[in-house]
Amino acid sequence: MSRLDREIDELSAISAHPAPAVTRVLFSPEDLSAREWLMVLAKEAGFQVRQDPVGNLFIRWEGSEPCLPAVATGSHTDAIPNAGKYDGVVGVLGGLEAMRVLKESGHVPKRSIELIMFTAEEPTRFGIGCLGSRLMAGTTSPEQAQALRDSEGRSLEELRAAAGCRGNLGAVKLSTGAYKAFVELHIEQGPLLEEAKRDIGVVEKIAAPSAFRLLLKGSGGHAGAVLMPQRRDAFLAAAEIALLVEKAALESGSPDTVGTTGLVEVKPGAINSIPCDVKMEVDFRDTDKEARDKALARIGDGTHAICKRRKIEIGWQVINQDPPALCDPSLVALVESQAVAGRCTYQRMISRAYHDSLFMARVCPTVMIFIPCYKGYSHRPDEYSSPEAIAKGVKVLAGCLKELSAK
C-alpha cells in the first residue's frame, strides 16, 4: 500500500460513523481531529502551516522567491453524514502527496506552493456550501457569515471560537493577486470517465448553483370533514411547484440545466390531517447563467400563479445564487499537456457539481482535474476511486504544480 493510500484510509477512520461510512461535520470533534492529523503530516514533510479566522488551513512550501504570488491546490476534508472517503480528501491528501513527491525529487519551486484545506465545503452545518472559499473570494460578507446558525441555534462565531479560530472574519478575504493559479484535484462524482475508460477529466466549466427555500402556508383541518372545494392544501401546491421545477429544467434549452426539489417538510404530518405548512428547498443549476436565470424566472412566475390559484401564502428565500465559472484556457491546456506527458488518456468535461474552485475562479485563474470513481457514486459509503486512478491524478497535478511554480 502506498503512503497516500494508507493516509486516505487513516483519515477515513476519523469519523462519527463506523466504516465504510465517513461523517465529519464542520467543527465537530472528528473535523477538529482530522485537522490536527493533517497538520502533523504537513509539518513532518517540512511545510509551514497556518489557519485563518474561519479555519481554512494553508500548508505552504516556500519558494525561492516568496514574494511572488503562490500556486495553490487543495479541496476539503469535511464530509456529509454517511458519506465516503474520497470526496474532497483526494484533493487534499493528493495535493500533499504531489508536494512531497516534487520535494523528494529535488524540485526547487520559484513560486511558493500552497495546499488549502477549505472550511465547510459541505453545507451540512449551516446550510450553505463552500463557506471558507466564499469568504476568501468575498462573495459572502463577514456579516452574513456571523448571522449563520446551525440546526441547534449555534452560531459560526461560537463554533469557530470553540475550535480555536481567532481573528476578524474580514481578514479571510484574499487580496488581489494572492495566487498565480489554483488547481483542484477531485473525484468526478459522475460516471462519464469510467464509462469512457478515460484516466483524467479536464474541467472547462463549473455549473452555477442556485438554491432557494419556499415556505407555503395553507389551512389545515380534518381529512374527512373539510370538502375538497374548500381546501387550501399547502402540500398540493408544493407538489405542483416541484413538477414546475422539473419542467423548467427540461425545457430550459440548455442540456446542462438540472433542478432538484431535495427537501419537503410537511406539517402537521398526520395521515388524517390536511397539510397546512410546507417548507421546501430547491437546487437549480447550469453552466449557462442566462438559461438558468430564465428558468428560475419561469419558476418564480409559475409558483406565484399556483399559490394564488390555491390561496396559499408564500415566502421565498434565496439561499444562494452564484454565477458559473469558466476554467482558465491556459490551465486547461496545461492539464492536457501533463496528461499526455504522464501517458494518461483524458477528455474535457463540465463539472455539474460545484466545488471550492467555483469561488477560487473569482480570485485567480483556476482549473479542475477529475479522476474516475466507481459508477459515479459519491456522498455514500461505497464511493470508490482506485489507487491507480488516484496515482494518475496526483501525477498530473504534480506536473502542473511543478511547471506553474517554476516561472
Side-chain angles (χ1 to χ4, degrees):
M1 179 182 287
S2 74
R3 173 172 60 187
L4 177 55
D5 298 329
R6 184 179 66 254
E7 289 169 353
I8 290 172
D9 284 348
E10 288 176 6
L11 181 53
S12 72
I14 306 175
S15 169
H17 289 112
V22 176
T23 301
R24 279 190 300 270
V25 177
L26 172 67
F27 295 148
S28 65
E30 296 76 28
D31 179 49
L32 297 179
S33 294
R35 290 165 178 269
E36 290 294 331
W37 176 86
L38 178 60
M39 286 190 280
V40 169
L41 287 187
K43 290 174 182 177
E44 287 177 348
F47 301 132
Q48 301 169 13
V49 180
R50 67 181 175 88
Q51 182 174 258
D52 72 11
V54 81
N56 291 314
L57 196 64
F58 301 85
I59 295 169
R60 186 178 180 89
W61 180 10
E62 193 88 313
S64 61
E65 297 190 26
C67 292
L68 291 174
V71 176
T73 188
S75 196
H76 65 100
T77 59
D78 64 318
I80 67 168
N82 207 44
K85 64 182 180 181
Y86 299 94
D87 174 27
V89 167
V90 165
V92 175
L93 295 184
L96 178 61
E97 180 66 6
M99 291 166 65
R100 290 185 300 204
V101 166
L102 288 174
K103 186 177 182 182
E104 290 162 1
S105 72
H107 175 63
V108 179
K110 180 179 180 181
R111 295 178 184 271
S112 299
I113 300 176
E114 203 152 75
L115 170 65
I116 308 171
M117 191 220 73
F118 295 95
T119 282
E121 194 269 356
E122 302 292 2
T124 312
R125 180 123 235 170
F126 293 113
I128 182 170
C130 298
L131 176 60
S133 54
R134 286 178 187 272
L135 283 164
M136 289 170 70
T139 63
T140 292
S141 70
E143 294 74 22
Q144 290 170 320
Q146 287 164 349
L148 292 172
R149 299 291 185 275
D150 68 9
S151 60
E152 298 175 352
R154 302 182 70 187
S155 69
L156 172 62
E157 292 294 277
E158 175 189 352
L159 288 162
R160 76 182 181 99
C165 300
R166 306 282 186 256
N168 192 312
L169 287 177
V172 176
K173 185 177 178 180
L174 295 174
S175 59
T176 302
Y179 291 113
K180 174 183 173 63
F182 178 74
V183 185
E184 181 172 5
L185 174 64
H186 208 283
I187 62 171
E188 182 194 346
Q189 298 180 289
L192 299 183
L193 288 174
E194 184 182 61
E195 290 174 353
K197 293 181 171 56
R198 298 282 196 276
D199 300 320
I200 298 294
V202 187
V203 177
E204 296 182 280
K205 295 188 288 185
I206 306 171
S210 176
F212 57 91
R213 179 182 299 113
L214 299 179
L215 304 174
L216 307 178
K217 188 169 187 62
S219 180
H222 194 286
V226 182
L227 297 178
M228 300 306 289
Q230 282 75 50
R231 294 195 178 193
R232 294 171 53 216
D233 188 321
F235 172 70
L236 292 181
E240 278 199 64
I241 294 166
L243 291 173
L244 173 62
V245 168
E246 179 190 43
K247 188 175 180 65
L250 287 169
E251 297 177 358
S252 74
S254 168
D256 297 320
T257 309
V258 289
T260 306
T261 303
L263 185 148
V264 180
E265 294 179 355
V266 181
K267 293 182 179 179
I271 191 172
N272 61 343
S273 186
I274 299 165
C276 58
D277 291 286
V278 170
K279 179 174 83 170
M280 59 190 302
E281 293 183 353
V282 175
D283 179 297
F284 205 87
R285 60 182 78 186
D286 202 326
T287 57
D288 183 330
K289 184 177 184 296
E290 183 179 355
R292 184 201 68 180
D293 290 351
K294 282 177 66 176
L296 285 171
R298 178 180 176 182
I299 292 169
D301 292 342
T303 294
H304 283 95
I306 290 165
C307 291
K308 182 178 180 180
R309 172 167 45 84
R310 289 188 171 275
K311 299 179 181 177
I312 301 295
E313 298 173 26
I314 180 173
W316 188 300
Q317 301 171 355
V318 175
I319 299 172
N320 61 268
Q321 190 162 327
D322 303 298
L326 297 178
C327 293
D328 182 79
S330 65
L331 292 180
V332 168
L334 175 61
V335 174
E336 290 178 330
S337 69
Q338 291 301 319
V340 171
R343 298 183 179 180
C344 298
T345 57
Y346 69 89
Q347 66 183 56
R348 292 193 176 191
M349 302 187 70
I350 290 168
S351 176
R352 291 178 173 82
Y354 71 96
H355 307 273
D356 291 301
S357 286
L358 183 71
F359 300 96
M360 290 302 290
R362 299 193 179 197
V363 174
C364 64
T366 294
V367 72
M368 293 193 73
I369 301 168
F370 277 173
I371 59 171
C373 55
Y374 174 67
K375 292 187 178 180
Y377 291 166
S378 185
H379 284 193
R380 46 190 280 181
D382 54 355
E383 172 183 276
Y384 177 74
S385 191
S386 71
E388 295 77 18
I390 295 170
K392 290 176 181 177
V394 170
K395 186 175 184 179
V396 172
L397 174 62
C400 292
L401 295 179
K402 182 178 182 179
E403 184 160 331
L404 290 168
S405 66
K407 56 188 177 182

